[in-house]
Amino acid sequence: MDVHGRIREILAETIREELAPDQQQLSTEDLIKALRRRGIIDDVMKELNFVTDSVDQELPSSPKQPVCFTDRHSTLLKKTNIDPTRRYLYLQVLGGKAFLEHLQEPEPLPGQVCSTFTLCLHFRNQRFRSKPVPCACEPDFHDGFLLEVHRESLGDGTRMADSTTMLSISDPVHMVLIKTDIFGETTLVASYFLEWRSVLGSENGMTSLTVELMGVGTESKVSVGILNIKLEMYPPLNQTLSQEVVNTQLALERQKTAEKERLFLVYAKQWWREYLQIRPSHNSRLVKIFAQDENGINRPVCSYIKPLRAGRLLDTPRQAARFVNVLGYERAPVIGGGGKQEQWCTLLAFLCRNKGDCEDHANLLCSLLLGYGLEAFVCVGTKAKGVPHAWVMTCGTDGTITFWESLTGHRYIHKPANPDESPVAEQPKPLYPYRTIGCVFNHQMFLGNCQPSDSVEICVFDLNDESKWKPMSEEAIKSVCAPGATTSLPPFPPLCASTIDASVTSNEIEMQLRLLVSEHRKDLGLTTVWEDQLSYLLSPALASYEFERTTSISAGNEEFQDAIRRAVPDGHTFKGFPIHFVYRNARRAFATCLRSPFCEEIICCRGDQVRLAVRVRVFTYPESACAVWIMFACKYRSVL
């Protein structure tokens, strides 16, 4: 364990013993011999576990696995994929302090479930996650992350990055701190962009920092705690830069970014003045040019979108819509009453927390649809009763306009009503819930709606017609929203594969539900007899429901109905109740089910020869998102 300490002691001893007055120098070989004699090298070699992958080549879209070294107590072998031709930044998080909100929390007892902190990192397409640690005033973070620092462009593909190359890499390390409570609910505690390049100017290629994390949303000016961080370059740099050079580079980047942002702000104000002069009523339209992120920083809305490829994790645009729909929905928290707190999250914060507001869902869905080569936009407008809302729209090459509701996964074709037709003419009633639309935007375009009415029903989506949609200059948008345009833009992380085992999780939830149903019936003075075969027969129905949600095609219903008819004898009645959740908490799901009179009727079924069945099927999506389908059923002899 304390191998460094032991090596130091032995070396000191060797030098004392073997360095006779006439000998000036001990060679490295002598020292290694001394270590070998005392068996230290053998011990160290035993401790190192190298696991080689059967597949050596890693797909560029799959995020790098963090490199972790195993210690004696770890039962699981971690991967080490160090490439000796690459340069790495070794980032260690060595504990936290002053998390004052947790000052009163008692020490968790061994085995007791407690709230935990998890740190999520993203750097240049690599994602990492720390081990969860109990929430405390001084949380015991002890994690190391090996981040690869590498330039793919300019013929640098094979060269190891030197200090000047690394100085030009302006991507920060994005760190997101998540708190998970005892019920598995997540909250975003802090989001921080770490400027790592100070290590390039430190003498021995090593530097220690204390990072103050600020809160999110309305608390973005309040400190939530401090992390101790140590940065180290590996292999060590041959030449380090002077601190002055590093500081000058960072100052220049900041200055350049500030200037670009200032010019864009001047342009946006000018655009807005022109937009208002078209019609005074435009003042009340939802034309959103800037939005605040979780740190309370105003950023152009176009910077929240970027074509995003899901690699092999999602196959179709509709599957992508289903994935976005199963990520949890939660409005930004507000302390006290008042209006809606606005907070558009950076993608990493949204994915790590696994839930967000409608704007976060719409931005992610739009990015994924752009990745699939569709012409997609986020629409900002209102739903019924004037509630502000964001959704996604795609424009087909044949002019078809499709709305995608990112919170439900539903799709609607937009057929504009003709305002000039006589009022007697039957207008098609729209199926979509949207009432007004103020603007549409994606990563390259921003268009304000300047039609006489902002009603979605009669809106014409000819985005090239400047008399209907006022565009912003694409050059101006590119100057602040194109990747690498400014250093203040958070880089987009890649999606991660699910870490949830669908079969194991399905079984666990099913066993818990059986227990809850049996207890509930026991309280009512009823016995419970489960029929495994009937439970198994419910599987095809659940699979078909999920298939329908993903593809909008219903399949396999006939076989399911036929199997149930065979399993239920004459004179018996069968009742089934399917329900869908996006969380994996069995107790919470059961409480929700009991609120439905249909489901309660099945769970509390009385009669002759009552047999109960329950089937759970968990469908996993990237980022630990889940669709959980549950079906309760019963069969009993009908007694008239």
Side-chain angles (χ1 to χ4, degrees), residues 23-38:
Q23 255 183 309
Q24 288 306 305
Q25 198 78 42
L26 264 180
S27 70
T28 317
E29 281 79 32
D30 297 338
L31 297 175
I32 286 181
K33 247 182 246 159
L35 291 175
R36 195 161 266 145
R37 248 201 332 265
R38 289 169 173 77

Side-chain angles (χ1 to χ4, degrees), residues 190-192 209-215 221-227:
S191 170
Y192 183 82
L209 313 164
T210 47
V211 164
E212 183 179 22
L213 300 177
M214 300 307 238
K221 303 280 184 284
V222 184
S223 170
V224 288
I226 291 168
L227 289 181

Side-chain angles (χ1 to χ4, degrees), residues 186-205:
T186 53
T187 26
L188 179 61
V189 180
S191 170
Y192 183 82
F193 294 96
L194 174 72
E195 179 47 77
W196 56 276
R197 287 175 287 176
S198 55
V199 72
L200 300 175
S202 55
E203 280 176 24
N204 46 4

